[in-house]
Structures are given as C-alpha cells and as structure tokens.
C-alpha cells in the first residue's frame, strides 16, 4: 500500500511523466482523499468503556456469545457504536445509537444455511460465482429483531468480490464490486 501511495502521489516513479499526467494523478489522489474523508470513521473502543447499557444489552441479546471487540463510528454528525461478538465461530455485529439503543444486528450464517431464494438470486445475477460470506441483517425496533435483508460477499467467475444485499425473497436491493481479486 505504501508503494501504491507513493506511485499515486508521484513520489516513486518508474518512468518520467508529463506535466499533464502529473496533474491527472494529483486530481485522482485528491479525489481519493476527499472520498476517504467523507467516509465514516471508525475507531476501536475497549468494550468496557462503551456508553452505559450497550455492553449489557449486547450480552443479554446473545448470552452465549463472546465479546471480541467494539468500535465507535462517526458518520457526519451522528455517532454509532458497534459491538462484535463471536458465537460458534460466527460473527455477530450489533449497532447501537449514541443513546445506547440497539438498531441493527448483522449475524453471519453458515454458508450451508443460505436460503435457496438467496442462492438462486446470486447465481442468476453472477453465474459461476461462489458465496464467500453470508449475513442476516435484522432491524431492531422496541427491542424486537426483524429479518430485513441478507448481505452476501460473492466471488465472481472473474475473481472479483461483489457484495450484494437481498430481501429474504431474493430480490436484489444493492450491490457492487468490493475489491478486485488477482
């Protein structure tokens, strides 16, 4: 990454570049920096130092799970907290408002548990692909969890990673390339 940053920044060059190419590179770097600044910032937090009630609520919701981490995320002027749990080798992320209210639960599910409607929709959209990770996303209202979406990480036939969100019926809600594989 450092070498890529140096190359993108024009500090490490394998060949001389023209002034025009240099300006394009500078604009590209500035655009990437602006995009990073606009993205939510996340910082790790000691779970014991979370606002009152968050850790207790997470443990109560999943009493058999182990707390493995926590984070505080700033998205614009909104602060949210995330508690990461592990249960039987699978990850559970719980999002809380700054007031300590549980808002969203993301539960990783075993790949063999991916519903047929989801698997079929992924196969239709990305033929010859492989689901690498699957999560159930639950909206939380008044302490009650309701299955809202499935989020799947897919490796396509051309080795690109694509993340898609689908309704429980298999309707694609969102999705796009996450990363280019090699």
């Amino acid at each position: 990454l450092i070498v890529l940053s140096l190359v993108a920044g024009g500090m490490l060059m394998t060949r001389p570049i023209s002034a025009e190419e240099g300006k394009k590179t500078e604009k590209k770097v500035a655009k990437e920096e602006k995009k990073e600044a606009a993205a939510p910032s996340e910082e790790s937090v000691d779970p014991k130092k979370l606002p009152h009630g968050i850790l207790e609520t997470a443990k109560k919701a999943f009493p058999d799970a182990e707390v493995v981490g926590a984070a505080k995320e700033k998205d614009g002027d909104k602060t949210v907290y995330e508690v990461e749990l592990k249960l039987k080798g699978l990850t559970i992320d719980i999002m809380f408002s700054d007031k300590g209210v549980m808002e969203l639960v993301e539960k990783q599910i075993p790949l063999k548990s991916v519903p047929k409607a989801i698997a079929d929709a992924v196969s239709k959209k990305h033929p010859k692909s492989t689901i690498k990770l699957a999560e159930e996303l639950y909206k939380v209202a008044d302490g009650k969890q309701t299955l809202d979406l499935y989020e799947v990480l897919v490796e396509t036939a051309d080795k690109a990673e694509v993340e898609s969100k689908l309704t429980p019926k298999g309707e694609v809600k969102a999705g796009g390339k996450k990363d280019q594989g090699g």
Side-chain angles (χ1 to χ4, degrees), residues 111 114 118-120 122-123 129-134 152-155:
L111 296 178
V114 173
I118 302 303
D120 289 349
V122 168
S123 292
S129 64
T130 306
I131 296 175
K132 294 292 191 179
L133 179 77
V152 293
L153 179 62
V154 176
E155 184 177 82

Side-chain angles (χ1 to χ4, degrees), residues 76-113:
D77 58 353
K78 186 179 175 191
T79 301
V80 294
Y81 295 91
E82 179 179 338
V83 177
E84 183 180 342
L85 308 169
K86 282 278 187 192
L87 181 63
K88 297 179 183 172
L90 300 174
T91 303
I92 301 169
D93 292 325
I94 307 173
M95 307 297 184
F96 291 88
S97 71
D98 59 348
K99 308 245 185 300
V101 176
M102 189 187 309
E103 296 181 331
L104 179 73
V105 176
E106 296 179 357
K107 290 169 43 176
Q108 183 182 354
I109 61 171
L111 296 178
K112 65 180 184 264
S113 298

Side-chain angles (χ1 to χ4, degrees), residues 36 40 46 48 96 118 121 138 143:
E36 285 176 20
D46 179 342
K48 294 177 186 137
F96 291 88
I118 302 303
Y138 292 84

